[in-house]
Amino acid sequence: MNIENDIHQDESLKETPDDNTETSAAENTEVDADNEQQSSEMTSQPSETNDEEASSQEEIIDEKKKQDLEELKNVIKENAREDEQPASRYFTLAKILGGDILSAHLVRRQILLILIIVMFTIVYVTNRYSCQQKQIDIARLKQQLVNSRYKALSISSELTELSRESNVLEQLKNNNDTTLKISQQPPYIINIGNE
């Protein structure tokens, strides 16, 4: 009866498709466990068959285990790869946002170019920022210059107003400090002879 179960299980394994390798690998491990359990039961029960049938059955089980082990190894080799998966031709938004684009061979090959572009971008941004700061300083200094010119002009006009002769005499009269007054006679020229 155990031999019939083994044969039935062998036929069911041959009928399973290889497309779903993960499920077939899981089923293979379950079948291996069942086979081991049945073989242990067979060894514990008194055998009614002769030694040749028992040895042929053990050989069949061993071959089946070896095949299952090879299939499992192949499935693991296919699914557990450490190298790069072949790149698809199309980059989708999900691949870009997921970071898959950074592991592409093209990006890894051009990493120096990418670093140079990033460096120039940083230099461009900092240069633009410093130029804008200098332009702001120039505008502020121009405004200060205009204010200083207006202030100097107003002070100069006040000085000329205060230094006029009429204002000086008026201030002297108000203070009664001096006997200076405006001359009633016009100035005259003193001629000095040639010696």
Side-chain angles (χ1 to χ4, degrees), residues 106-161:
L106 176 71
V107 174
R108 280 190 277 151
R109 226 179 34 193
Q110 301 297 335
I111 193 73
L112 184 63
L113 176 67
I114 292 170
L115 290 175
I116 289 172
I117 290 171
V118 168
M119 185 186 70
F120 279 132
T121 304
I122 290 171
V123 168
Y124 174 75
V125 169
T126 55
N127 187 29
R128 182 174 178 160
Y129 177 75
S130 67
C131 287
Q132 285 178 344
Q133 290 298 324
K134 288 179 182 177
Q135 286 177 345
I136 290 170
D137 289 343
I138 289 170
R140 182 179 51 82
L141 290 173
K142 281 183 179 179
Q143 186 63 37
Q144 283 181 355
L145 180 64
V146 168
N147 291 341
S148 298
R149 282 185 181 167
Y150 286 147
K151 189 174 182 180
L153 186 62
S154 66
I155 289 173
S156 174
S157 68
E158 285 178 12
L159 180 64
T160 46
E161 177 70 26

Side-chain angles (χ1 to χ4, degrees), residues 24-192:
S24 65
E27 290 173 359
N28 288 342
T29 55
E30 290 175 6
V31 169
D32 286 343
D34 290 340
N35 288 341
E36 289 176 8
Q37 187 178 19
Q38 289 175 2
S39 64
S40 64
E41 288 175 3
M42 288 175 54
T43 56
S44 63
Q45 296 175 353
S47 66
E48 298 174 0
T49 60
N50 59 17
D51 291 337
E52 292 178 5
E53 290 178 5
S55 64
S56 66
Q57 187 177 11
E58 288 177 7
E59 289 175 4
I60 292 172
I61 292 172
D62 288 340
E63 288 178 20
K64 192 187 315 178
K65 286 182 182 180
K66 287 179 184 178
Q67 289 174 353
D68 292 341
L69 186 62
E70 287 298 320
E71 288 178 13
L72 185 61
K73 283 182 182 179
N74 290 336
V75 169
I76 290 173
K77 283 181 183 178
E78 290 175 5
N79 292 335
R81 294 178 52 177
E82 292 181 9
D83 59 338
E84 181 180 314
Q85 297 289 335
S88 65
R89 293 184 178 183
Y90 304 106
F91 289 112
T92 62
L93 182 63
K95 286 183 180 180
I96 292 171
L97 293 178
D100 293 341
I101 192 169
L102 296 176
S103 66
H105 181 67
L106 176 71
V107 174
R108 280 190 277 151
R109 226 179 34 193
Q110 301 297 335
I111 193 73
L112 184 63
L113 176 67
I114 292 170
L115 290 175
I116 289 172
I117 290 171
V118 168
M119 185 186 70
F120 279 132
T121 304
I122 290 171
V123 168
Y124 174 75
V125 169
T126 55
N127 187 29
R128 182 174 178 160
Y129 177 75
S130 67
C131 287
Q132 285 178 344
Q133 290 298 324
K134 288 179 182 177
Q135 286 177 345
I136 290 170
D137 289 343
I138 289 170
R140 182 179 51 82
L141 290 173
K142 281 183 179 179
Q143 186 63 37
Q144 283 181 355
L145 180 64
V146 168
N147 291 341
S148 298
R149 282 185 181 167
Y150 286 147
K151 189 174 182 180
L153 186 62
S154 66
I155 289 173
S156 174
S157 68
E158 285 178 12
L159 180 64
T160 46
E161 177 70 26
L162 292 174
S163 63
R164 281 186 16 218
E165 185 180 351
S166 60
N167 280 341
V168 171
L169 286 175
E170 192 174 312
Q171 285 179 357
L172 289 175
K173 258 191 214 177
N174 290 338
N175 291 338
N176 292 327
D177 286 343
T178 183
T179 58
L180 290 176
K181 51 183 168 182
I182 296 177
S183 170
Q184 299 295 330
Q185 297 176 359
Y188 55 91
I189 299 174
I190 303 174
N191 290 328
I192 299 175

